[in-house]
Structures are given as structure tokens and as C-alpha cells.
Amino acid sequence: MSGGGRSRCPDCGCAELVEDSHYAQSQLVCAECGCVVSEGLLTTTFADEGNLREVTYSRSTGENERVSRSQQRGLRRVRDLCRVLQLPSTFEETAVSYYQRAYQHPGLHAARLQKKEVLVGCCVLVTCRQHNWPLTMGTICTLLYANLELFSGTYLQIVKVLGLDVPALSLADLVKTYCSSFKLFQPSPSVSVSFVEDKEKMVSRTLQLVELASESWLVTGRHPVPVITAAAYLAWRSLQPGSRLTCSLSRFCKLAGVDLPHPAYLRVQELLAILLRMAGQLAWLRILNLDKQTVVKHIGDLLQHRCILLRQAFRDGAEEEEGEEQPQEEGEEAGSSTLEVLEKKRPASSPPPLLPPCMLRPPKRPCPTPADPSITGDEDISDSEIEQYLRTPREIKDFQRAQASRQAVPGAPAPS
Amino acid sequence: MEEEPYLEIYLDRCMNQDELASTSSHLFSPIVPYDSYLHTSSNQETIASPLEPSKEPSTDLSSVDLSFLPDELNQENTEQTLTEGKPGVEGNHEIQGAPSRVQSLNEKDSGGICTDDFSLSNSGLNPLSDGNSTLPSPENSSSGFFPLTSMTPLMPVTPVSEGSGIVPQLQNIVSTVNLACKLDLKKIALQAKNAEYNPKRFAAVIMRIREPRTTALIFSSGKMVCTGAKSEELSRLAARKFARVVQKLGFPARFLDFKIQNMVGSCDMRFPIRLESLALTHQQFSSYEPELFPGLIYRMVKPRIVLLIFVSGKVVLTGAKERSEIYEAFENIYPILKGFKKA
């Protein structure tokens, strides 16, 4: 902060005056002789506070001089991001400390500005994860206008470099936060009364559906948000099926004011398939011959007994789960008839295995055969085999001519 | 057949035994049904002939003291004593059952997944060791069940362990070699059909050969990287072929410091794995971010291998410099993953 109108040193007459702070009081000192030209000429914190103007701590101490401008900017960004996300104040301190630690590492110190920007998001994400605050990477990338690839690379790098222990994203908290962001809880011009839903009921039912999905292998290895969208959609429909059965997934997302993630369509289908198999175990639902639309009406009942129904409807891995009692056995046989109607795949009277969808689909390619063990690596290489890869002199000339003519044409692509 | 000389040595020893008759009655033990050995009877005819001249009728052999042999061969002979009384004597063939089974074990050991065969032979052999506890001879009590494979010559490094029975298959080998001469990449790209060179994109020639199906990056300093081979020997052969191509183009290429830099293997557990639980219990080694990648990244410390574990049970192992590291890593992870088998 150099003021205007520099004077000369009264002692030696040199014009080199340096502004130096002595115990937070700014002084103008001559560089040659060290004579203090003036004290408190420029505004000081003391003077400021005397005039009832607030001075921030970081400006009253010399701490910012030690930190580079780029790092200062990054730290400011971290604080801003925490404020935008409305995180508790303790998170801010932690995130700032992570950023400072990360900045020391040579790989990140010399990174491009884009990466340092993404580093801000990574620090905030790590802090949130450690406090079980459900923040998704997608949210941060949207806020920072960053692309997910760069974010993922930086995130994995920083976790490895700092040796951080980052717990997994807690799905239950994410459900609550995600559902709370829906705009379905009050009537509005776009949301008619029949579409408005009680928040507690919706959140609890979505939670149950998400638990069901994770039990039946629909969550492992997949992005969590589309599963939650699909579960919320089914829960919302099932709470008032009369008016909502005809509402499509995209329309639901528009009403709720959230983005529709593309995998949500598949998740809805997978969840409905699981629910249909469970429905086959209940006597009073078997006779109704449910399909993907009508099963939604009975989701409440199915969820109430979801543990038992899931166990009955599927066999656990390789073993056959035989029902001990009579009605259960009948249930399985009749259930399998529904299955046959719907799927036409399973052999009669054997419940399908409960496996992740990727294992249920048939393999696309046959497994390749292992290499011949008799090769030693030192076999003779015949000349003819090598010559098949070389161009004859005539071919070379032709190729060169072709290249030249291609280059002669303006705007030709570079030769390979 | 490698078993012949061993069999002859054994039979010679039998001939030299004087005390024979006493132990025969104790060897009777009806634990294993006779039928389990019948499947090997088809191989008997070929092995029967060399044994005929040196062998007395079955009754003499059955009374031989066989305590110095591994347990299955002992039991083979006890079954023989059993069958003496039965019509349709196939006892003769029992003694040949063991070597033929050894042979089949050998063949199956050398490659592929052999869970079924191994478990069959295991279940077939295990009751024998139980049965042998009744034998009074002192030498027997010290030997537990030791596999037949120790008696016969084997292929080196059998990758199948007692634990898993699954062998990871190598999918890719990356190796480097120094051709030790400066290369003119433009000339190579001009004169070789299988080369591509785009200096604006990458400063090396990308060359491909068909057999074995591999790709090489050839740099102007003379260094070369060879990728795509399925085994170490194939990688070496491919690198030599690339070097030969460069030689034929007129450069004084040599073949120095061939080194395998990375090996990638994959295998299938055939059961689904709860990745969330695995990430929770092995937090210090695992990195599971479903938002970024569907698999769990497990960084094993010893050996230093990175494993990608997927929910379908498929495992990819990478970062190895030796084949044994991949097998070792798989044997280390197999019991861990088996613990997560039941959902």
C-alpha cells in the first residue's frame, strides 16, 4: 500500500522509501540510511479502529505477505464455497487447512489454475465427507463449472498425497437432503394440489425404497443420485396413485425442480422388476396379475414386509431358498407362474437368484483362450514374415507421390 | 509317460521285501467305495504292459509293505486286497489307477480353471488319509497326506493353489527394449506398411504386427515400448519382431535391456461382492467412489499390486513385474472376498 506523493529522506536525500510495518504500525523507512521518515502517515489499523472502521485480522497482520497471491485467492475461494453451500463454520477451518497442506505439494503447487480451482472443491468435499455432510461431486462440479474428469483426477490425487481417510457418502443423509430440495411440498402455479405431498411421508418411503434397492444389488457400483431419483419418483406415485400414476419420470423431475439423471430410467425399471417379484409372494396380490404400472399402488404393502418378501422371492446366490411352510411353497410356485408370464426365462418352480443386474445378463463375448504355453520367445523369425510389413520401392514412390499431391491441395490433413 | 521309471523303482523295492504277509490284513479299510477308482480303469491297458513282466500276480503285491509310499498308493493296494474275493478282478488295475490319476492331475494342473477336477481328486484322496490312520506301521504315522504330485515331475510354477482353484489370466504385458541406435522416424513411417507417425500428436512411430497381435511405440532415441502381448514369452517374441523390422529398414538395431514393465491379469470369482462393506473393513487399502468409477480400487501392499474389484465378482490385477506377483495377490485377496460372498 504505497501512498501517493513520495518525499525524499531528510537525512541522506535518497528517494528510496520503503513502507515497512513495525509491530503493525506502518512506517516509511529510508532504504539507504534506515531513517524513519514517517510513522502512521498512511492509515493504520489503530487509526481505522479509532474511527470506528472495522479491519479484518488478515489485513492487520503480516500473514498474507508470506502467502502467495495465488494461494490467497484459493483460500478465499474455499471460504466462499463453504458460505455458498451454507456449511457450518468449523468446516471452513478444516477445508482451509486441507488446501494449505495440499498447496505445499510440488505436484499441486505447480498445477494450472484450472486444477487449483478444482482443488478448492476437493478440499471442501473431503471436509464434508468427514463430517458426514452429504455433498455430491456433481453439485461441486456444477458450482465450480469444472468437468468431472479433472475433478476426479485431482480428488484421487489429493486423497493419496495427503493420506486422507475419507468415509463413503452416506446414502440416508443424501436421500434426506435430496428430497428436501424437491418443490413438491407446497402448492404452486406449476404444482397442482393433487401433486403436493407431505415431506415426512415421502422421505421415509423413499428411504425404504433405497434400502430395498441396496439389498437387491441395485446400488453397488452405481452412481447414487439416479437411484434416489427413481426411488423418490416411485414413492411419490405410490402415495397417491389415483392421480399420479400417469405422471412420467421427466414430468416428475420438472415438477420437483431437479435435473433428471439419465440412468434414473433404468433404475426405475429395475426397482419395478424387484417389486413385481416380491408381489408374487403375497397371496392377495398374486391373483391381481400386476404389471409395472399397477404394482405402484401396492408399494406401501410390499415395503412393509420387504425383508421377508425379498428373501422369499429370490434364492440367495447359488443356494435354493425353499419355503418351509406350505403356503410359502405354493406362493413360490404361483409366484413363478407370474414370473413366467412376465419374464419367460426362469425354469418353473425355481426362484431366480438375487444378483446384480450385470451378472444376470448373458456375457457378450466368449472368454478368450489362454496363451499357448510352448512359446519360448526365442523362436526364429522368418524373413518372409518381416517382409510382409515393408513397402516395396515402387510402393514407396507411389506413397510419396500421393502424399505430395495431398499436400498440394490447400487445407489437406497432415500426413500420417 | 514320466511315471514309468518311478513305478519300476517302486516295484523293484517291492521285490526285495522279505516281510510281506504280516501287514496285509491290517490294510483292509472299506472307507472309500470301490467305484470311485473305476473311472481310471480305462487308462489301464496302456500302462498294464510294462508292469506285467515285473509283476507277480496281484496277491503277492498286496502283501508288500507299502508304508514308505504316499498314502493313496497304499490304499490302492488295500482296495486290491478287498477285490481279491470279488469276481471280475479289477484289482490288477488299481495299482495303475494311481499313476494315471497322477498323470491326469498333471495335465489338468497345467492350465485353465480346474475347480471341478481338483475338488474331485481332493475328495477322492482325502478319505484315504483318514483311512490310513488305522495302519499300524510306524512310517505311515509320520506321513500325513502329501500330494501325489511330489512323487512325479511337474511343470514349473503350478499356479493353482489349494485355496481358490481359479487362475488369473494374463491379458496384457507392457515391455521396453533398447534398440541402441538413433532412428529416423519419417523414414520408418514411409517404408513400413504397419507404421503410423503423426509428429504433431505424438513423437513416436506406432507400429503394429499381426502375430502376436501387439503394438509398439518406437522413439527416435532408439527406445521401444511393446504392448498387447498375452504372456512374457510372446512379448519378447513380439519385441524381437519389431526390432527385426527396424533392422530390415536399414538401421543397426540391437536388442538390449528387454524388461517387462507391467503385467495385467483378470479373473472371475463368480459370486457378487458387497463393495461397500469391503471398503468399510479395508479402509486403508480401498478406494470406492461409485460417483467416479463402478469398481473398488484395492491397493495391496505386499505384493505391490492394484486390484480393481467389481460387483459382478470380476477382478483385474495390475502393476506386476512378475507373473508370480499376480498369482500371489490373487491368493491374498481370495479369502478376503470370500468373506463377503454372502450378502
Side-chain angles (χ1 to χ4, degrees):
Chain A
M1 226 172 31
S2 56
R6 289 186 185 208
S7 47
R8 288 183 169 267
C9 168
D11 273 3
C12 59
C14 87
E16 273 240 57
L17 296 174
V18 181
E19 198 232 344
D20 196 9
S21 351
H22 176 70
Y23 295 131
Q25 193 183 40
S26 64
Q27 297 172 335
L28 267 179
V29 181
C30 170
E32 296 270 58
C33 62
C35 148
V36 177
V37 173
S38 58
E39 285 176 6
L41 246 188
L42 314 160
T43 54
T44 59
T45 50
F46 187 67
D48 270 347
E49 280 165 342
N51 293 332
L52 298 175
R53 256 187 298 151
E54 207 174 272
V55 180
T56 55
Y57 177 70
S58 54
R59 290 173 100 204
S60 63
T61 62
E63 70 172 29
N64 278 346
E65 273 114 57
R66 273 177 278 122
V67 166
S68 71
R69 210 180 300 181
S70 165
Q71 193 175 351
Q72 279 178 43
R73 188 172 157 276
L75 293 171
R76 240 178 296 142
R77 291 286 290 143
V78 171
R79 291 200 171 95
D80 290 342
L81 193 59
C82 291
R83 268 173 230 150
V84 163
L85 290 167
Q86 295 175 345
L87 302 176
S89 48
T90 45
F91 289 28
E92 217 175 284
E93 304 304 319
T94 326
V96 163
S97 75
Y98 281 142
Y99 190 86
Q100 281 170 335
R101 277 170 62 191
Y103 208 84
Q104 311 301 326
H105 283 265
L108 294 160
H109 190 82
R112 294 180 191 274
L113 280 178
Q114 206 185 13
K115 190 158 182 180
K116 284 179 180 158
E117 179 77 8
V118 161
L119 184 62
V120 165
C122 294
C123 295
V124 174
L125 178 69
V126 170
T127 315
C128 289
R129 281 278 190 95
Q130 289 183 334
H131 293 265
N132 276 329
W133 189 277
L135 185 63
T136 57
M137 296 187 187
T139 317
I140 297 194
C141 288
T142 331
L143 282 173
L144 294 177
Y145 305 106
N147 82 333
L148 191 61
E149 277 173 42
L150 181 61
F151 188 87
S152 73
T154 316
Y155 174 75
L156 294 171
Q157 187 185 3
I158 195 182
V159 168
K160 199 163 136 190
V161 146
L162 292 181
L164 296 170
D165 189 12
V166 185
L169 188 60
S170 77
L171 215 53
D173 294 329
L174 184 61
V175 168
K176 287 184 202 132
T177 332
Y178 191 69
C179 289
S180 316
S181 73
F182 289 174
K183 296 185 187 70
L184 288 170
F185 310 124
Q186 259 98 52
S188 76
S190 53
V191 179
S192 70
V193 180
S194 63
F195 287 167
V196 172
E197 188 50 68
D198 173 41
K199 185 164 153 184
E200 291 311 315
K201 274 199 263 172
M202 177 137 166
V203 168
S204 74
R205 192 163 277 199
T206 312
L207 259 175
Q208 288 176 338
L209 272 170
V210 168
E211 270 171 34
L212 177 67
S214 75
E215 279 287 309
S216 53
W217 297 102
L218 297 181
V219 168
T220 313
R222 272 98 171 267
H223 200 292
V225 173
V227 183
I228 302 177
T229 316
Y233 170 62
L234 287 176
W236 176 78
R237 277 210 303 174
S238 69
L239 284 168
Q240 225 179 81
S243 45
R244 298 176 189 169
L245 211 58
T246 51
C247 181
S248 73
L249 181 59
S250 49
R251 189 155 164 241
F252 169 74
C253 290
K254 260 189 237 142
L255 286 170
V258 293
D259 283 330
L260 170 57
H262 182 72
Y265 286 112
L266 288 168
R267 302 296 165 261
V268 169
Q269 301 307 314
E270 285 166 1
L271 263 173
L272 284 171
I274 300 278
L275 287 165
L276 278 167
R277 286 205 197 124
M278 284 165 62
Q281 301 300 311
L282 283 177
W284 66 92
L285 294 180
R286 239 178 293 130
I287 50 174
L288 292 177
N289 256 2
L290 298 169
D291 69 1
K292 288 191 172 155
Q293 294 278 56
T294 47
V295 75
V296 176
K297 290 186 249 172
H298 306 280
I299 284 185
D301 295 332
L302 292 172
L303 285 177
Q304 242 187 327
H305 309 287
R306 62 183 183 276
C307 297
I308 292 191
L309 288 176
L310 199 61
R311 239 180 294 135
Q312 282 181 3
F314 296 95
R315 64 189 149 97
D316 198 0
E319 11 166 338
E320 194 93 10
E321 281 262 281
E322 298 286 312
E324 284 95 23
E325 293 125 40
Q326 273 298 324
Q328 283 179 6
E329 275 174 1
E330 287 170 19
E332 275 179 18
E333 282 168 26
S336 62
S337 62
T338 332
L339 286 173
E340 279 170 354
V341 164
L342 296 166
E343 301 215 336
K344 299 182 185 79
K345 266 188 234 173
R346 302 268 153 247
S349 83
S350 84
L354 186 56
L355 292 174
C358 53
M359 284 181 86
L360 290 172
R361 286 181 224 130
K364 292 184 213 168
R365 290 173 273 186
C367 297
T369 51
D372 184 7
S374 62
I375 294 217
T376 60
D378 288 316
E379 279 102 354
D380 281 331
I381 304 170
S382 66
D383 277 348
S384 55
E385 188 186 346
I386 301 298
E387 256 142 45
Q388 67 174 311
Y389 294 120
L390 304 178
R391 288 196 176 113
T392 61
R394 200 211 146 103
E395 283 176 350
I396 293 176
K397 268 190 233 136
D398 290 340
F399 186 68
Q400 276 175 322
R401 230 182 305 137
Q403 264 191 347
S405 61
R406 202 172 1 143
Q407 274 176 339
V409 175
S416 64
Chain B
M1 264 190 308
E2 312 93 87
E3 296 85 22
E4 272 183 64
Y6 289 84
L7 208 44
E8 280 169 29
I9 295 170
Y10 148 67
L11 289 166
D12 286 342
R13 276 195 226 157
C14 298
M15 298 306 187
N16 297 334
Q17 291 290 332
D18 293 333
E19 314 266 21
L20 305 174
S22 50
T23 53
S24 60
S25 51
H26 305 302
L27 299 179
F28 169 75
S29 136
I31 289 179
V32 179
Y34 179 63
D35 306 330
S36 61
Y37 297 123
L38 281 181
H39 71 279
T40 57
S41 56
S42 52
N43 299 334
Q44 308 323 308
E45 283 62 45
T46 50
I47 318 174
S49 40
L51 293 179
E52 291 316 321
S54 51
K55 205 170 111 166
E56 318 231 288
S58 50
T59 42
D60 279 27
L61 262 175
S62 61
S63 51
V64 160
D65 176 20
L66 304 163
S67 53
F68 60 86
L69 283 175
D71 295 346
E72 306 81 26
L73 284 182
N74 269 346
Q75 281 296 0
E76 302 286 281
N77 279 315
T78 67
E79 290 310 311
Q80 252 182 310
T81 66
L82 253 181
T83 64
E84 265 171 75
K86 291 186 190 173
V89 179
E90 278 147 77
N92 254 354
H93 303 301
E94 282 320 303
I95 201 78
Q96 292 123 28
S100 66
R101 204 135 36 83
V102 167
Q103 193 179 37
S104 56
L105 252 186
N106 268 343
E107 284 156 8
K108 282 154 194 169
D109 271 352
S110 58
I113 295 173
C114 60
T115 1
D116 298 336
D117 295 318
F118 202 75
S119 55
L120 173 65
S121 44
N122 260 334
S123 58
L125 296 172
N126 274 333
L128 302 178
S129 55
D130 293 339
N132 268 325
S133 55
T134 63
L135 291 172
S137 43
E139 282 124 293
N140 246 347
S141 53
S142 55
S143 69
F145 163 70
F146 60 89
L148 270 177
T149 49
S150 61
M151 273 254 308
T152 54
L154 267 187
M155 312 247 190
V157 192
T158 41
V160 179
S161 79
E162 291 84 349
S164 58
I166 306 176
V167 183
Q169 300 231 347
L170 288 180
Q171 302 292 346
N172 183 25
I173 313 267
V174 176
S175 56
T176 54
V177 73
N178 187 5
L179 302 176
C181 68
K182 293 275 171 263
L183 301 173
D184 181 356
L185 297 183
K186 274 207 184 336
K187 185 177 170 211
I188 294 179
L190 181 63
Q191 293 184 339
K193 274 190 236 182
N194 54 345
E196 63 183 76
Y197 179 49
N198 201 340
K200 287 183 194 155
R201 218 153 57 100
F202 192 54
V205 163
I206 303 168
M207 194 182 283
R208 299 185 165 87
I209 56 173
R210 280 182 281 272
E211 184 53 49
R213 215 164 137 266
T214 46
T215 307
L217 302 172
I218 307 178
F219 294 85
S220 55
S221 62
K223 299 257 169 72
M224 183 169 85
V225 180
C226 173
T227 61
K230 297 270 188 221
S231 79
E232 304 92 315
E233 296 84 15
L234 282 173
S235 188
R236 192 186 157 85
L237 181 62
R240 282 176 57 226
K241 288 191 183 175
F242 284 116
R244 186 71 83 79
V245 171
V246 172
Q247 246 178 11
K248 285 227 182 267
L249 290 172
F251 298 95
R254 293 161 67 197
F255 195 76
L256 305 175
D257 311 324
F258 174 79
K259 184 173 176 217
I260 297 205
Q261 302 289 352
N262 186 27
M263 300 173 71
V264 180
S266 73
C267 57
D268 191 359
M269 298 279 182
R270 295 176 192 273
F271 56 82
I273 301 172
R274 287 275 173 208
L275 298 179
E276 311 94 343
S277 327
L278 179 60
L280 211 57
T281 48
H282 289 76
Q283 213 164 19
Q284 58 278 52
F285 305 115
S286 330
S287 160
Y288 172 54
E289 294 289 338
E291 295 175 84
L292 296 178
F293 188 63
L296 186 149
I297 304 172
Y298 192 101
R299 293 181 195 272
M300 197 178 278
V301 170
K302 187 173 170 2
R304 214 165 138 265
I305 301 279
V306 174
L307 298 94
L308 302 176
I309 304 169
F310 295 90
V311 69
S312 58
K314 297 205 165 63
V315 180
V316 174
L317 307 98
T318 181
K321 293 263 195 288
E322 299 266 315
R323 189 186 277 249
S324 56
E325 285 177 15
I326 292 204
Y327 294 145
E328 195 187 330
F330 181 70
E331 291 309 320
N332 286 349
I333 202 84
Y334 185 74
I336 297 171
L337 293 179
K338 266 220 114 162
F340 290 96
K341 184 170 176 177
K342 278 279 186 167

